[in-house]
Amino acid sequence: MSSTTPELDLSEKMESILADARRCFTAFGYEGATVRRLEEATGKSRGAIFHHFRDKETLFLTLAREDAIRQADLVADEGLIEVMRDLLAHPERHDWLSTRLEISKMLRTDSGFRARWEAHQAVLDSAVRTRLVTLSQDGRIRDDVDPAIIHLFLETLLDGLITRLASGGSVDGLDAMLDLAENAIRKQS
């Protein structure tokens, strides 16, 4: 007799599919991660995969939401620049973000996908806004710049960093660049 409950088995199956799908998206990109490749990567039939996730997009967006939640936790504790430092320090945790170049095109051309992507990323945006408001109230960031502009600055910096990493660009100097960004938003004494 199994010591696990059916709910735990279901959760373990979903986590296994997500982990294997993440590797498949990393290796082949969003478009290249065909259903056949997802079946091969997960060792599951399309019926088993899509029993848990409605379609490939839902599977992908579930991964995006997991990352956004993990990043939001880090933002809440240490800030968005620390998320960027984590991208540099632990690329193996984020290598599936190489799909970002494809996603950028989809965000520009597919309004339905854009809306679903933004909904999944809302948790990260909310964490960044909350942190910036707190830092502003504590007098730890510049008070001559609206926190919404600082958010836009950091978000644009993150997008650029992800694009650079996804396209195989050099990481030389990026730590110093993040130090510069941190100093740019910090309240000067």
Side-chain angles (χ1 to χ4, degrees), residues 23 57 76 79 83 95 122 128 137 158 162 176 181 189:
R23 284 189 289 280
E57 183 180 296
V83 168
D95 55 2
V128 173
Q137 291 170 346
L158 176 61
I162 290 171
S189 31

Side-chain angles (χ1 to χ4, degrees), residues 37-80:
R37 284 184 170 150
L38 286 167
E39 287 175 312
E40 291 169 3
T42 63
K44 308 244 183 300
S45 70
R46 78 182 56 217
I49 296 168
F50 298 128
H51 169 75
H52 300 289
F53 304 95
R54 184 180 62 218
D55 52 25
K56 180 173 107 172
E57 183 180 296
T58 302
L59 176 60
F60 183 81
L61 288 173
T62 300
L63 291 170
R65 181 162 178 80
E66 279 187 349
D67 280 1
I69 290 168
R70 195 170 23 262
Q71 290 171 350
D73 289 343
L74 185 55
V75 164
D77 292 340
E78 300 181 43
L80 188 57

Side-chain angles (χ1 to χ4, degrees), residues 131-141 187:
R131 175 138 177 108
L132 289 173
V133 166
T134 300
L135 291 175
S136 179
Q137 291 170 346
D138 292 347
R140 294 172 54 200
I141 61 172
K187 184 168 185 146

Side-chain angles (χ1 to χ4, degrees), residues 45-148:
S45 70
R46 78 182 56 217
I49 296 168
F50 298 128
H51 169 75
H52 300 289
F53 304 95
R54 184 180 62 218
D55 52 25
K56 180 173 107 172
E57 183 180 296
T58 302
L59 176 60
F60 183 81
L61 288 173
T62 300
L63 291 170
R65 181 162 178 80
E66 279 187 349
D67 280 1
I69 290 168
R70 195 170 23 262
Q71 290 171 350
D73 289 343
L74 185 55
V75 164
D77 292 340
E78 300 181 43
L80 188 57
I81 290 179
E82 286 308 311
V83 168
M84 292 182 242
R85 291 188 196 286
D86 191 60
L87 286 169
L88 294 176
H90 302 286
E92 74 282 357
R93 291 185 200 159
H94 308 284
D95 55 2
W96 84 284
L97 289 173
S98 62
T99 61
R100 185 59 177 229
L101 300 178
E102 288 176 273
I103 298 310
S104 294
K105 179 182 175 194
M106 292 169 65
L107 291 172
R108 193 178 68 249
T109 60
D110 183 338
S111 60
F113 180 83
R114 176 190 272 291
R116 290 183 294 279
W117 174 267
E118 288 173 351
H120 283 279
Q121 296 298 303
V123 65
L124 178 57
D125 289 337
S126 176
V128 173
R129 278 191 299 276
T130 300
R131 175 138 177 108
L132 289 173
V133 166
T134 300
L135 291 175
S136 179
Q137 291 170 346
D138 292 347
R140 294 172 54 200
I141 61 172
R142 299 172 63 148
D143 57 6
D144 62 331
V145 178
D146 184 330

